[in-house]
Amino acid sequence: MARYGMVMDMRACVGCQACMAACSMENQTPYWSEKFRTHVEDSAHGEYPNVRRELLPRLCMHCENTPCLSACPTGATYKTEDGIVRINYDRCIGCYACMIACPYDARYPYDGDDVEKAEALYGSDCSHTMPHVDKCSFCEHRVKSGLEPACAATCPTGARIFGDLDDPNSEVHKLSVSGIARPLRAELGTSPKVFYIPA
Amino acid sequence: MSFVHQEVWHWQIATYLFLGGLGGATFAIGAILHLFEGCDRKMLSIAVLSGMGFMGIGTIFLLADMLQPMKALYALTNPSSWIFWGVIFINFYFLMATVYVIPLLRSWPKLVLIVEIIPDPILDLMERFNRLAALGGSAAGFLVAIYTGLLISAAPAISFWNTPALPLLFVISAFSTGAAYLLLLSTFSKNDYAHKISEKLEQLDAGLIVTELIILGAYFNFAFFLPTGARASAAELFETPFFVFGFMGAGLLLPLAIETYSIFFSKHSKQSAGVVITASLLVLLGGFLLRYYVLHAGLYQYPW
Ligand code: SF4
Ligand code: SF4
């Protein structure tokens, strides 16, 4: 079994947001309500003239220890054999317990209005036909057929490196054990499978 | 490091937490009174029925805040989730409350006919096990009250919530609101024995408020010393006038002062009923404000 993960090379990210657009198209996320499965945070730090711009792309970290899954009363949140954390839309009651529990702000509600818009926009191809809580799925449907997640495939600078963390020959494995790439808020004990190489 | 307000659970959930705690504690204290003080059955039946009402309305607020309330039964799937246990506790509560209250309804002449519809053997059984149902009910009430705190303390990233002090604070506050509500009922009771019960409830509530103040002190002291979002949350609450003057002042200290005065100096005359009612209402208001502001002050500490 693979154990999928991603490394974000912050030295390469230019904040072009191509990943956000690609993900929105691939997964029909409600961009009209400014809800995304992956978001590139863009913030300024310091005082003029010593101002620094900081970019931070984020998404579901597909944690090993999942507070969102523990909080979900319905079993709608589950983990695949490959360690991908997914949501069964049909079972999700939209109680938001998972959103409260997720330390990475990875989830958002796909509410009734969003479903209506999505149905009008995508017609019979619409993949969100009922209200539920939504988040990144590492594009499991693409990964299953040997492709990379849409964000990683699109990133023009190669800032997103996707692969099997357990495969000793994979780049994500090498980076994740190198010590250069670190997860966010490791102290919470969630063991994220997304790692960041500082800029 | 930046702190961001949680934008997920608002006043609807605060109302649910408040009414759940109030309903749970009202039944729990009422049942304990029954077991040890043997108080008036009419008042107890009103208390338990309204406790069920609070719980019912609270649950409606919770369901109304969900995306798919019609599928709520799925919530009985994952035992590692506090909501799962909430559903179990609340159902146990309603079961116990129903079994407990039906025999009590016989003390209402107008309701006797409705109660008599239930076959005699079942009614007799309920009557026989009434004290057992009271015991089960007080456990159920306690569990529901403490669950409201456990539910929100299960958020690892919101450090102000993610502490054992919070369920403790919520359960004591819930019992204080329950005692205040029963005190309110007892001031309206025509039973000769009612003023004795009022006295007991007043002492109980004053004791609970003092306990709540001690826990609050420890909680805030703890939060202020943590180099995390908890400190920012605590600081924010101290700058919120409705929290300081509304909850702490009007919802805790003022009713404590009234109750203390009443315990030592006034002997529950008709004239003193007005202030006791005021104190009870203030405690109830305080209970809601506590939950509203604690929810509001939930801050995520983001790594960006
Ligand atoms: S990032 Fe959030 S949603 Fe994703 S697995 Fe971790 S806790 Fe769950
Ligand atoms: S909102 Fe859906 S996925 Fe999240 S905890 Fe509730 S049922 Fe589970």
Side-chain angles (χ1 to χ4, degrees):
Chain A
M1 276 298 124
R3 198 168 64 90
Y4 291 114
M6 194 180 275
V7 172
M8 300 281 188
D9 190 346
M10 306 301 294
R11 299 166 304 192
C13 178
V14 291
C16 68
Q17 304 186 332
C19 49
M20 289 168 65
C23 173
S24 282
M25 293 303 109
E26 182 70 34
N27 297 299
Q28 301 181 358
T29 69
Y31 57 84
W32 48 86
S33 308
E34 291 190 40
K35 297 170 185 169
F36 298 93
R37 288 186 179 191
T38 184
H39 199 267
V40 184
E41 303 291 333
D42 192 340
S43 53
H45 296 266
E47 299 255 336
Y48 178 84
N50 300 314
V51 187
R52 207 165 22 90
R53 183 179 175 193
E54 245 174 46
L55 298 165
L56 190 116
R58 54 182 184 81
L59 72 169
C60 171
M61 308 280 154
H62 297 276
C63 308
E64 288 297 355
N65 301 321
T66 37
C68 58
L69 192 150
S70 314
C72 174
T74 64
T77 296
Y78 66 99
K79 219 192 247 185
T80 68
E81 284 184 331
D82 296 327
I84 299 179
V85 177
R86 296 222 52 189
I87 302 169
N88 176 347
Y89 302 159
D90 193 40
R91 280 195 89 84
C92 175
I93 56 175
C95 63
Y96 307 134
C98 55
M99 288 177 59
I100 285 285
C102 171
Y104 303 101
D105 193 19
R107 295 173 169 244
Y108 62 84
Y110 210 119
D111 61 31
D113 289 345
D114 293 328
V115 169
E116 237 172 72
K117 284 223 177 67
E119 281 174 340
L121 209 58
Y122 302 110
S124 56
D125 287 339
C126 180
S127 51
H128 301 269
T129 51
M130 63 185 88
H132 62 90
V133 162
D134 198 38
K135 68 163 194 73
C136 156
S137 63
F138 263 173
C139 284
E140 197 198 4
H141 58 290
R142 287 173 57 96
V143 173
K144 264 191 201 148
S145 47
L147 297 166
E148 283 185 312
C151 57
T154 301
C155 180
T157 64
R160 291 179 181 234
I161 305 143
F162 180 80
D164 180 359
L165 289 165
D166 284 346
D167 171 4
N169 298 316
S170 75
E171 206 184 341
V172 283
H173 169 83
K174 287 178 196 152
L175 288 168
S176 72
V177 296
S178 68
I180 328 168
R182 296 224 175 82
L184 297 178
R185 300 214 61 188
E187 80 280 8
L188 292 177
T190 47
S191 302
K193 291 203 283 287
V194 176
F195 299 81
Y196 290 78
I197 301 175
Chain B
M1 200 189 296
S2 54
F3 298 118
V4 181
H5 275 114
Q6 65 88 11
E7 286 291 341
V8 184
W9 280 347
H10 304 282
W11 66 269
Q12 297 91 328
I13 299 296
T15 310
Y16 164 67
L17 299 175
F18 168 65
L19 290 175
L22 173 61
T26 301
F27 184 17
I29 300 171
I32 292 168
L33 277 181
H34 173 179
L35 290 174
F36 297 105
E37 299 290 331
C39 94
D40 118 46
R41 287 164 73 96
K42 277 193 173 172
M43 180 187 141
L44 275 182
S45 58
I46 297 180
V48 177
L49 286 179
S50 43
M52 291 165 89
F54 293 141
M55 194 74 78
I57 299 169
T59 309
I60 292 172
F61 273 97
L62 173 73
L63 290 172
D65 200 44
M66 281 183 190
L67 289 173
Q68 302 254 51
M70 301 307 281
K71 295 182 180 174
L73 261 189
Y74 281 151
L76 277 170
T77 308
N78 178 12
S80 71
S81 153
W82 278 116
I83 294 186
F84 170 96
W85 289 105
V87 177
I88 303 262
F89 295 160
I90 291 173
N91 279 299
F92 179 49
Y93 173 94
F94 274 113
L95 180 75
M96 286 295 145
T98 311
V99 172
Y100 173 73
V101 84
I102 286 176
L104 299 192
L105 295 180
R106 281 168 152 175
S107 47
W108 296 91
K110 284 193 185 137
L111 293 180
V112 169
L113 277 180
I114 303 178
V115 177
E116 303 286 287
I117 298 174
I118 301 169
D120 273 344
I122 298 182
L123 263 182
D124 290 343
L125 213 63
M126 284 181 176
E127 188 74 66
R128 192 134 51 92
F129 288 108
N130 199 227
R131 291 173 69 85
L132 197 65
L135 204 64
S138 57
F142 173 80
L143 289 173
V144 174
I146 198 159
Y147 143 79
T148 60
L150 290 166
L151 171 66
I152 69 162
S153 70
I158 303 181
S159 55
F160 189 57
W161 294 357
N162 193 218
T163 131
L166 188 72
L168 215 59
L169 181 64
F170 271 29
V171 80
I172 297 295
S173 158
F175 273 74
S176 166
T177 56
Y181 176 68
L182 284 164
L183 183 59
L184 197 65
L185 285 184
S186 71
T187 52
F188 291 109
S189 168
K190 295 200 178 58
N191 195 298
D192 300 339
Y193 191 57
H195 71 279
K196 274 254 170 314
I197 294 294
S198 298
E199 257 172 45
K200 284 256 154 32
L201 286 167
E202 220 161 44
Q203 287 163 3
L204 175 68
D205 197 38
L208 286 166
I209 295 179
V210 171
T211 315
E212 194 175 337
L213 283 167
I214 295 170
I215 298 176
L216 263 178
Y219 184 28
F220 275 96
N221 182 50
F222 179 70
F224 273 121
F225 279 95
L226 283 178
T228 59
R231 179 158 60 194
S233 297
E236 188 187 291
L237 284 178
F238 271 105
E239 282 164 16
T240 307
F242 271 114
F243 183 79
V244 177
F245 299 109
F247 164 61
M248 288 199 185
L252 287 181
L253 296 175
L254 189 55
L256 179 63
I258 296 176
E259 286 171 356
T260 310
Y261 176 82
S262 177
I263 290 167
F264 289 107
F265 303 108
S266 92
K267 289 283 169 251
H268 287 280
S269 56
K270 282 264 175 297
Q271 291 89 329
S272 68
V275 279
V276 173
I277 293 171
T278 312
S280 305
L281 291 174
L282 285 173
V283 170
L284 290 173
L285 172 75
F288 174 74
L289 289 179
L290 170 68
R291 283 151 188 86
Y292 178 80
Y293 283 108
V294 165
L295 271 198
H296 187 73
L299 298 177
Y300 287 107
Q301 177 189 322
Y302 282 148
W304 53 86

